[in-house]
Amino acid sequence: MVILCWIWMDTKPRNKWCYCFDHRRRQRQCRQQRQTYADLAKEKKRRSFSNMASSWCSEISPIISIFVSFLLVFSLICPVYSSETGNSHATNQTLRPEEELQKLKMIREHLKKINKPAVKTIQSPDGDLIDCVLSHQQPAFDHPKLKGQKPLEPPERPKGHNPTGMVTENFQLWSMSGELCPEGTVPIRRTKEQDMLRASSFRRYGRKPRRHVRRDTNSNGHEHAVGYVSGDQYYGAKASINVWAPRVANQYEFSLSQMWVISGSFGNDLNTIEAGWQVSPELYGDNYPRFFTYWTTDSYQATGCYNLLCSGFVQTNNRIAIGAAISPTSSYKGGQFDISLLIWKDPKHGNWWLQFGNGVLVGYWPSFLFTHLRDHASMVQFGGEIVNSRPSGFHTSTQMGSGHFAGEGFGKASYFRNLQVVDWDNNLIPLSNLKVLADHSNCYDIQGGINRVWGNYFYYGGPGRNVRCP
């Protein structure tokens, strides 16, 4: 299983400059008044006005004493972080503001790098800005191996591909107005300053935290309900994924439903290609389900990113914005909405392509990005994942899927259907050995099945905290 970890820290600035400035200003006022009285004394009687000045300053001095005492207390309760010791100290009160200014400078430089010049900008109802960027200027072409190139032509589709998705490209909020990006451009969700300030680590914004990934799923607060196949060579995978808007308990948790195409050991050489939908308040600043992609070639250490937040995935479609909100979504005992995703390896060039819905190509991951996945995958995984930060010492109430258990079935529980893999000869074939696993089944569970209409499928999900999941 692919296990992720999110890390957070308090980085709110504590500005002490204003207090120090005010203290110095009062001292300066005192000196100025003394000088004024001294000048006046030359014109009148020096002794009487000197006494007056002394009397005035004696009135002010208790105020200054009280203010200095306040500063001393403030410095004790609001210490400044020292990068040398890794602990909090009150020794360098001007360090924190300088660090904050440097952080903002680095963030703005990074935003200039990933937010490319737009031919046109579209305002989405959810507050997103969608920039229409010339295809050859998208972030992927900052990569040394892609500089000066243009997106590739569409590859050969897998044999046996029969579109099963319910929708076309118009499944995102930003496109509901009918305003689209021109031909020759790609829509990219603009990253804002507040997006990066909200991140647990702005230096790794758009990336999953570094960690040792294990096959065991019982660690680091990540909980899963998944179906998977392994033990063969896989050249792609396909599924239709039910879309919901699960409740996420706090900013530091997420809920997602996705496909993983995996190769390598579950150590530092893990390669993954990932796509699906996610609710992530930390990454996006809201609770909308959003279409996303991810990749890594070294177990989430130094390579890879979400969406188009680094050089990697090459987008070829001008109607789908990766990272944008999905609409509509499914409702309990009501209408159901799903998206169909296909990832497969182009037999001719070896790149991994992503297709959405009824044959709509989104783009591709160049083969040179990977090590093990340059050849084939050794595991394919489908399902849901949440982060449980145990707020207040209890299990999180973050929902997976619809927020209801698998046993409730269609219209109530979330599902994956028509699960398939791509074989060595570029054929889409049914799964022959699907296994299902829920590592915290009292909180989130899964039930698999097979029929003539849905082929291989499963229901999954749950509410999180409940009487059986305290």
Side-chain angles (χ1 to χ4, degrees):
M1 300 303 107
V2 180
I3 311 304
L4 320 175
C5 179
W6 294 78
I7 303 168
W8 61 89
M9 63 186 73
D10 181 8
T11 58
K12 294 180 181 177
R14 296 179 176 87
N15 194 339
K16 303 182 183 65
W17 283 0
C18 59
Y19 302 115
C20 296
F21 173 79
D22 192 52
H23 178 58
R24 289 193 297 268
R25 184 173 60 190
R26 289 183 180 273
Q27 289 177 323
R28 205 161 47 241
Q29 287 175 345
C30 185
R31 289 195 298 270
Q32 288 171 352
Q33 286 289 349
R34 281 177 173 166
Q35 184 62 45
T36 299
Y37 289 135
D39 292 339
L40 289 172
K42 292 178 182 178
E43 298 174 9
K44 297 183 179 181
K45 292 182 179 180
R46 179 180 301 272
R47 179 172 297 177
S48 62
F49 280 98
S50 296
N51 292 337
M52 186 185 299
S54 176
S55 174
W56 188 89
C57 288
S58 67
E59 290 175 3
I60 276 293
S61 59
I63 299 174
I64 296 176
S65 298
I66 293 169
F67 194 74
V68 169
S69 299
F70 167 76
L71 289 178
L72 289 172
V73 172
F74 187 84
S75 68
L76 289 173
I77 63 174
C78 300
V80 177
Y81 180 81
S82 169
S83 60
E84 293 180 357
T85 64
N87 296 316
S88 296
H89 297 286
T91 55
N92 188 353
Q93 296 186 7
T94 62
L95 179 61
R96 176 55 72 93
E98 290 173 358
E99 285 182 340
E100 292 299 322
L101 289 172
Q102 182 63 24
K103 176 180 176 179
L104 283 174
K105 181 180 178 182
M106 293 174 68
I107 285 173
R108 287 164 184 165
E109 288 175 353
H110 188 67
L111 288 174
K112 288 179 182 178
K113 181 179 179 181
I114 61 175
N115 289 329
K116 301 300 183 182
V119 172
K120 175 182 178 180
T121 297
I122 299 170
Q123 175 78 54
S124 175
D126 62 350
D128 282 354
L129 294 176
I130 306 298
D131 290 328
C132 304
V133 176
L134 291 172
S135 296
H136 65 280
Q137 292 183 352
Q138 64 182 288
F141 293 100
D142 289 339
H143 196 288
K145 292 188 177 181
L146 290 176
K147 278 190 178 294
Q149 298 184 31
K150 292 184 178 181
L152 297 175
E153 293 299 314
E156 177 188 354
R157 304 293 209 284
K159 305 177 191 74
H161 169 60
N162 296 310
T164 57
M166 293 181 178
V167 294
T168 60
E169 301 106 309
N170 296 324
F171 73 108
Q172 295 183 306
L173 280 175
W174 74 274
S175 61
M176 294 300 178
S177 66
E179 198 172 2
L180 300 172
C181 285
E183 291 293 331
T185 69
V186 294
I188 302 178
R189 178 184 181 271
R190 185 184 299 178
T191 302
K192 302 174 184 177
E193 192 172 290
Q194 55 263 41
D195 291 330
M196 297 191 68
L197 287 170
R198 193 172 52 246
S200 57
S201 170
F202 78 92
R203 288 183 176 86
R204 288 184 59 81
Y205 173 75
R207 292 181 175 175
K208 296 179 180 180
R210 297 184 185 95
R211 65 175 302 275
H212 179 69
V213 179
R214 304 203 318 262
R215 202 158 189 159
D216 159 23
T217 62
N218 298 301
S219 62
N220 295 294
H222 289 251
E223 300 180 14
H224 306 74
V226 296
Y228 65 97
V229 291
S230 60
D232 207 340
Q233 296 182 359
Y234 307 101
Y235 295 83
K238 182 177 182 293
S240 291
I241 309 174
N242 198 197
V243 181
W244 295 79
R247 181 181 66 251
V248 174
N250 62 65
Q251 177 179 319
Y252 306 110
E253 299 182 350
F254 65 70
S255 181
L256 60 77
S257 297
Q258 69 167 80
M259 300 192 304
W260 292 261
V261 177
I262 303 166
S263 191
S265 68
F266 282 75
N268 293 334
D269 64 341
L270 185 75
N271 289 203
T272 73
I273 290 173
E274 308 171 26
W277 62 262
Q278 66 178 163
V279 175
S280 176
E282 182 180 45
L283 189 59
Y284 304 107
D286 57 35
N287 289 287
Y288 289 108
R290 293 172 176 272
F291 176 49
F292 82 96
T293 62
Y294 198 90
W295 67 275
T296 181
T297 189
D298 62 356
S299 191
Y300 309 102
Q301 294 184 89
T303 64
C305 63
Y306 280 110
N307 309 332
L308 303 181
L309 294 174
C310 67
S311 301
F313 186 83
V314 180
Q315 184 160 336
T316 60
N317 188 284
N318 71 323
R319 292 173 177 262
I320 295 175
I322 305 173
I326 299 173
S327 181
T329 59
S330 301
S331 59
Y332 189 72
K333 296 183 180 179
Q336 299 301 294
F337 180 82
D338 63 33
I339 57 174
S340 179
L341 298 178
L342 166 64
I343 297 171
W344 86 101
K345 193 171 190 290
D346 172 16
K348 185 176 180 180
H349 296 105
N351 302 312
W352 291 87
W353 282 79
L354 173 62
Q355 176 181 290
F356 172 85
N358 296 313
V360 179
L361 290 178
V362 181
Y364 60 93
W365 293 270
S367 61
F368 65 73
L369 294 174
F370 304 101
T371 52
H372 299 291
L373 281 174
R374 288 191 188 186
D375 189 8
H376 61 267
S378 56
M379 173 183 279
V380 175
Q381 184 173 303
F382 313 85
E385 178 183 2
I386 64 93
V387 169
N388 173 25
S389 62
R390 296 193 64 81
S392 303
F394 300 102
H395 192 284
T396 183
S397 59
T398 287
Q399 299 173 333
M400 181 188 292
S402 69
H404 292 264
F405 287 113
E408 295 194 40
F410 185 78
K412 300 176 183 179
S414 190
Y415 63 80
F416 276 65
R417 64 180 177 90
N418 297 106
L419 306 179
Q420 295 175 285
V421 292
V422 180
D423 70 8
W424 65 274
D425 198 27
N426 205 33
N427 295 302
L428 265 171
I429 59 173
L431 306 184
S432 59
N433 58 341
L434 179 67
K435 298 180 178 67
V436 295
L437 170 69
D439 49 33
H440 293 77
S441 58
N442 288 334
C443 310
Y444 316 98
D445 67 358
I446 183 169
Q447 293 181 9
I450 185 168
N451 63 36
R452 294 177 60 185
V453 178
W454 277 17
N456 286 282
Y457 70 89
F458 59 80
Y459 290 102
Y460 72 102
R465 187 182 178 193
N466 64 82
V467 292
R468 296 188 299 122
C469 176

